[in-house]
Amino acid sequence: MRKSLRVVTLCSVAMLATSLFAGERNRAAEPSEQERATARIPAEQPEVAPLLYQLPEMLTNDVVTLQIRILQGKHLRVQEIVDIPPGVQSNATVGVLSAHGEDLAKLREAEARKPGSLRFLVFAGQRLLTDEPFASIDARSTKLSADSAVGEVRQVDFRPEAKAPSAVRAEGVGYDQACMDDCQMRLDSCLEWCDPRGDSCNQCYTWYHDCYIFCPTVCTEPKSVKNVTTYSSLGSTYSASVCRYDAFRNPRWFDYRTTRVLVTTWQRTEHCDGSYTDVYVSSYETTTSCWSKSIQSCPFPTNGVPYPLC
């Protein structure tokens, strides 16, 4: 009898502990199939801290087009064209390269390698609004809020780091046309005298192959024109927590995160020197949901890693 009472008591304590921990973590039921269906965006890239630029006061009832330029020495690395709506508040901000996180990360890496090498300029028409070190704008950005971000990005031009002329090499996307024409002329001449009843014509094509594979590869401008899609986070909310084992059998809290995502389509024109121009095509908002593993351990885990995992 005492043994049975002890078992019941231990079970009660365990259930109470589970209830208390669930209350502390605001534990909720696992999401429905409909909630899972929103997880259609590709796996998220590592988030890059936003670069926010605070707008100066603009007393105008017209749309203002800004040209944001980031220079490395005298070399233009980035130009972003943004339309600012009329009547913006004095604390309004612009998210610079908000949909191009990888390029923003490259700029920060360049600045870290050589502090003071990047400069941040903003023009409104021919009027210079800002001319400061990139590092100063980036440091000030941490104190600004993305909630006050305004503006509609129209175009982004990105160029890689400047190289000496001897180091610039266009990546080949096709054979040199003059060389190919010469090979074709040799093939046509060979086919005029070869005897189709034997193997001599086959030899013509062998010689043609041996000719064109030695033609140099060249890049024709533009290198390519295609549509690309970028995904940028607009903020996340957490609606549930569960205690599960992770892949290493460690008990961890997993939080169900729903993120608003801006999906933007750009027409990208790539150039032979590695630069590109993105022109805005369209955009829409959607949501993506997944389970995010916490570093905090938890008691009484059930099952394994939840799906889908961030």
Side-chain angles (χ1 to χ4, degrees):
M1 178 68 179
R2 289 181 180 178
K3 186 175 180 181
S4 300
L5 181 60
R6 184 179 300 172
V7 171
V8 172
T9 304
L10 289 174
C11 290
S12 300
V13 171
M15 292 174 63
L16 178 60
T18 302
S19 177
L20 289 173
F21 275 98
E24 291 173 2
R25 297 284 299 187
N26 189 27
R27 191 169 185 266
E30 293 193 21
S32 65
E33 290 299 320
Q34 183 177 1
E35 289 174 309
R36 292 181 187 275
T38 61
R40 292 171 181 164
I41 301 302
E44 295 182 46
Q45 300 294 322
E47 291 189 5
V48 177
L51 176 60
L52 300 172
Y53 165 68
Q54 187 164 12
L55 292 168
E57 189 172 357
M58 295 182 178
L59 299 177
T60 176
N61 293 322
D62 298 322
V63 173
V64 177
T65 299
L66 297 184
Q67 299 159 29
I68 300 173
R69 300 174 186 172
I70 300 175
L71 278 68
Q72 188 172 26
K74 294 184 179 180
H75 175 62
L76 179 64
R77 290 293 304 273
V78 170
Q79 176 169 275
E80 186 168 22
I81 297 176
V82 186
D83 287 342
I84 305 300
V88 297
Q89 301 296 319
S90 58
N91 65 339
T93 60
V94 172
V96 181
L97 294 176
S98 57
H100 295 72
E102 291 183 6
D103 295 331
L104 179 56
K106 290 176 183 177
L107 293 174
R108 286 175 170 147
E109 289 172 4
E111 176 66 23
R113 287 196 305 270
K114 189 176 180 180
S117 60
L118 298 184
R119 197 145 194 92
F120 188 96
L121 295 88
V122 180
F123 293 84
Q126 300 299 317
R127 184 162 61 101
L128 178 63
L129 300 180
T130 301
D131 183 357
E132 294 187 46
F134 174 85
S136 299
I137 299 292
D138 203 16
R140 200 179 306 149
S141 171
T142 60
K143 302 176 183 178
L144 301 176
S145 172
D147 294 337
S148 59
V150 298
E152 204 167 316
V153 179
R154 290 301 176 189
Q155 182 172 314
V156 177
D157 294 280
F158 182 83
R159 299 176 184 174
E161 294 190 57
K163 299 178 181 178
S166 60
V168 176
R169 180 179 64 84
E171 296 201 6
V173 295
Y175 291 113
D176 177 69
Q177 190 59 49
C179 180
M180 289 292 291
D181 289 343
D182 182 65
C183 294
Q184 183 66 47
M185 182 181 67
R186 293 170 183 265
L187 174 62
D188 293 341
S189 176
C190 182
L191 292 175
E192 286 181 3
W193 60 261
C194 72
D195 186 352
R197 294 171 296 179
D199 294 333
S200 58
C201 291
N202 291 338
Q203 185 63 40
C204 292
Y205 288 102
T206 300
W207 289 339
Y208 173 71
H209 174 268
D210 293 343
C211 177
Y212 81 74
I213 62 172
F214 286 103
C215 289
T217 54
V218 294
C219 182
T220 303
E221 286 288 354
K223 183 178 180 180
S224 68
V225 178
K226 60 186 178 182
N227 280 359
V228 297
T229 303
T230 60
Y231 303 87
S232 49
S233 172
L234 300 177
S236 301
T237 58
Y238 295 85
S239 59
S241 294
V242 294
C243 182
R244 296 285 185 87
Y245 288 111
D246 66 11
F248 303 98
R249 296 297 294 175
N250 297 316
R252 289 288 184 270
W253 285 111
F254 287 84
D255 301 318
Y256 193 67
R257 182 174 72 188
T258 299
T259 303
R260 290 173 52 231
V261 178
L262 179 65
V263 184
T264 308
T265 299
W266 310 82
Q267 185 186 68
R268 174 167 296 184
T269 302
E270 296 181 324
H271 304 286
C272 294
D273 62 357
S275 63
Y276 68 78
T277 297
D278 277 357
V279 177
Y280 174 84
V281 176
S282 63
S283 62
Y284 65 92
E285 286 188 24
T286 186
T287 60
T288 177
S289 300
C290 57
W291 290 99
S292 175
K293 185 177 77 169
S294 168
I295 61 172
Q296 297 179 353
S297 61
C298 62
F300 317 117
T302 60
N303 302 324
V305 179
Y307 175 84
L309 193 65
C310 297

